[in-house]
Amino acid sequence: MEVALDHLPSPPERSMTYLVAAARRGEREAFRALVEPHLRVALGSATIITGSAADGADALQDALLSAWQGLDGLREPDAFQAWFRRHVIRAASRTRRAHARGRVVELDATVPIPGEDIDRIVERRTLARAFDRLDAADRLLLTLHHFWRLPVAETAVHLGVPEGTIKSRVHYAMDRLRAAFDAEDRR
Amino acid sequence: MNHRLEDELVEWLRERGMPDPVSMSGVTASLDRLPDRRSRRSGWIRAATAAVVVIAGIGAAVVVPRLAGPSVGPAQPVLPDPASFANDPRLQVCGAASDGLLTVFEMAHVSDYQRHLPNAYPLVGLDVAPAAPALVLVYAGPSTGGRLPLSASPTPSPSPREHDICMVVGDEPSAWAPIAIARVDITGLISVLPTELPVDASRSVPSPTSTASSVGDAPAPAWTADIGGQLECDGPAPGLGGEVGELGAWEPGPTPDAALQILLDARAFASLPAGGFDPAVVEGHWARHEYRVDGRVRAIAVTTDRGDGFPEGLGWSVVGLRACDAAEFDPADGLTFDQTLWRDRAGTIERSDRINSAPGPGHCDWESTIFLRFEDVQYIRDPLGVLADATVAQFDADVALPDDAVDTGLHTEEWRLHTTADDDSIYVVTRAGSVERWGRAKDQIACM
């Protein structure tokens, strides 16, 4: 039977449905194609949530493994991105809690640019300490909202809160960050 | 001012979240090392941590997991034969028979849990009886998710390291209370704790049952005893933490301040102030931190650099901790636990032992839920139905407020609590004006 050209499916390499199905069959390259576009920002988020680059990398690797093994649990292939982000956030939150014992608060390790204003350097380091003073929920909220720039609806799901409260929660979290910043600034 | 701070925060987050090439390279390379995929049908998916705890008869607590510290003694390859406990009536408390068990052992104190099981997660719910003895049953059968009675079928556990356990806490039959814990990592299990530390034998080791510990020839200062009695709470102090000698030694730090911060950062205890402790006394090998509000002591932490449970030279460790109810803390200091305190009609923070709520932990996939504890009854807000089987009444996001509903006056920024004569549900009026129905938990639920 002939099929009209305009009814042919998209090239399978571009189809999320195809990639997810291939990954479910165990094809690692298909899984790589699914996750690779998101790895940079996922690693950045995991680093912020865990508080260290090493822990962030560990958490992301945990997330990759759990997503790889848990592909049967993905109901809608087109929802892969949000589903994968959930794995990353869960793994990073777990790693953060697990490594909280004996954790040394990492000061901002940014190398100052020669000639950079010293006040600015001090301010950023104060901000780093202030951010670390926030509780886990606030840090996660601000990371998802200001770094990962997730839609409000998705942020609400990750945090388990009503969607309509996200903006006010961000507002209050910023208030607490301001208070923490002021407290650190006085030290 | 917040706009500028927001801009600074965004820029700083961008810097902090800039992946370094080494980490990026490592993550990318890990994609090549993914193991062969197992289908859902084969059953086991690598999971970092979760297990479900059903706590019967002791009050629920949502616990925070952390990796266990190093074993305090050598691993014992030979586990006690459960048959030697075949006639122990405590097995019946868990509904178990010895032929379904891998091993059974006694704990002198519940607070020794992680010394016996160094790879297991801490159980905040055991805070209520840290000094009580316990019999621990380790099952050989498949995980039943922690529901009592646990399986007594002698079939292999899904993971060679993780087993269900049942702990019978208490020293009198009338006080025996079972705690079921699923999928506990028993790697390094020590059924009998070493009686001597592998350190300087000339140093005396404080007895865990003494009311005041001693170090060598110098007794501990008198203020280390009965720290609960030294609190200046408005109301009764909750049972969290423990006296010196009951709590055991926490992860050590180089200084008393560092030791306390390690404990606070671990978030293993429900509702301590997250900050605001001040050093009050340092006397020899002992130190004390106090948390005060309005000039009154609301929490006390005692640290020492010599104590039972850890070798000399590792530093200071918190060995005593007592605190007032979280409602007596300054909200600006935050809490070590992501708990919401409610206010009464007049706006005064209500005691957390009367009412508190917290989001369900993500490591059990319950992040979409809210656990509310009101007058010792647990209710769950469960919009996604992840715990639908666990509640008497189902969550409903939009119901009519029953005619007999009573406004308790208890509220948060978002919710206002109403009750009816039927305690299978509570009704929560949201800030938007809708009415939600939250169901009562069938059993007390916690997650570890």
Side-chain angles (χ1 to χ4, degrees), chain A residues 32 65 72 90 101 120, chain B residues 32 46 66 251 365:
Chain A
R32 179 188 288 271
L65 182 61
D72 290 339
R90 249 188 353 217
R101 285 181 62 180
R120 181 147 173 71
Chain B
D32 296 323
R46 178 186 180 276
R66 60 185 168 88
E251 172 94 2
D365 291 341

Side-chain angles (χ1 to χ4, degrees), chain A residues 33-146:
Chain A
L34 285 168
V35 300
E36 210 153 42
H38 314 296
L39 287 184
R40 283 186 66 85
V41 71
L43 180 57
S45 295
T47 299
I48 295 169
I49 294 169
T50 60
S52 87
D55 285 351
D58 282 348
L60 181 52
Q61 292 188 36
D62 280 349
L64 286 168
L65 182 61
S66 71
W68 168 246
Q69 294 285 28
L71 276 168
D72 290 339
L74 171 62
R75 292 193 194 95
E76 291 294 333
D78 284 338
F80 178 84
Q81 272 192 48
W83 179 83
F84 177 60
R85 280 194 285 262
R86 190 168 166 226
H87 282 265
V88 174
I89 292 165
R90 249 188 353 217
S93 298
R94 267 201 308 264
T95 302
R96 171 99 193 185
R97 284 191 296 268
H99 291 184
R101 285 181 62 180
R103 179 175 64 86
V104 175
V105 173
E106 291 189 2
L107 297 180
D108 187 354
T110 305
V111 176
I113 298 166
E116 190 174 8
D117 186 88
I118 190 68
D119 287 341
R120 181 147 173 71
I121 296 168
V122 170
E123 190 175 73
R124 275 189 294 162
R125 289 188 174 162
T126 304
L127 181 55
R129 287 196 301 270
F131 189 82
D132 267 325
R133 279 172 67 125
L134 297 178
D135 67 19
D138 278 350
R139 286 196 304 266
L140 181 60
L141 171 65
L142 295 179
T143 302
L144 299 185
H145 188 75
H146 284 307

Side-chain angles (χ1 to χ4, degrees), chain B residues 14-246:
Chain B
R14 198 162 31 231
E15 287 174 12
R16 196 178 231 196
M18 187 73 65
D20 72 270
V22 172
S23 297
M24 195 67 218
S25 163
V27 166
T28 309
S30 72
L31 289 171
D32 296 323
R33 297 191 302 269
L34 289 171
D36 290 339
R37 227 183 71 79
R38 286 181 284 249
S39 72
R40 182 183 286 257
R41 192 138 57 118
S42 69
W44 188 248
I45 293 177
R46 178 186 180 276
T49 61
V52 173
V53 174
V54 175
I55 298 178
I58 294 186
V62 180
V63 305
V64 178
R66 60 185 168 88
L67 289 176
S71 296
V72 294
Q76 297 171 350
V78 179
L79 299 177
D81 183 354
S84 59
F85 290 85
N87 297 320
D88 193 312
R90 286 174 290 181
L91 263 63
Q92 295 311 310
V93 175
C94 292
S98 64
D99 61 354
L101 301 173
L102 179 66
T103 189
V104 181
F105 62 92
E106 304 256 20
M107 293 198 303
H109 308 281
V110 166
S111 58
D112 290 334
Y113 173 71
Q114 278 196 290
R115 296 176 65 195
H116 285 280
L117 292 159
N119 263 31
Y121 289 106
L123 294 174
V124 172
L126 299 180
D127 286 355
V128 296
L135 183 73
V136 181
L137 287 58
V138 181
Y139 285 75
S143 175
T144 60
R147 297 200 175 275
L148 290 172
L150 296 179
S151 166
S153 304
T155 54
S157 167
S159 162
R161 297 178 315 159
E162 295 188 353
H163 292 257
D164 290 351
I165 73 173
C166 183
M167 194 184 300
V168 183
V169 177
D171 48 9
E172 295 291 331
S174 60
W176 287 342
I179 301 176
I181 313 164
R183 307 211 301 270
V184 177
D185 188 338
I186 64 167
T187 305
L189 187 158
I190 302 172
S191 58
V192 178
L193 295 179
T195 54
E196 291 182 34
L197 292 172
V199 292
D200 180 7
S202 64
R203 177 171 64 81
S204 69
V205 176
S207 162
T209 58
S210 62
T211 53
S213 301
S214 62
V215 177
D217 295 330
W223 49 260
T224 63
D226 189 23
I227 54 177
Q230 298 174 55
L231 295 172
E232 297 172 304
C233 306
D234 294 334
L240 77 83
E243 297 291 335
V244 174
E246 291 178 349

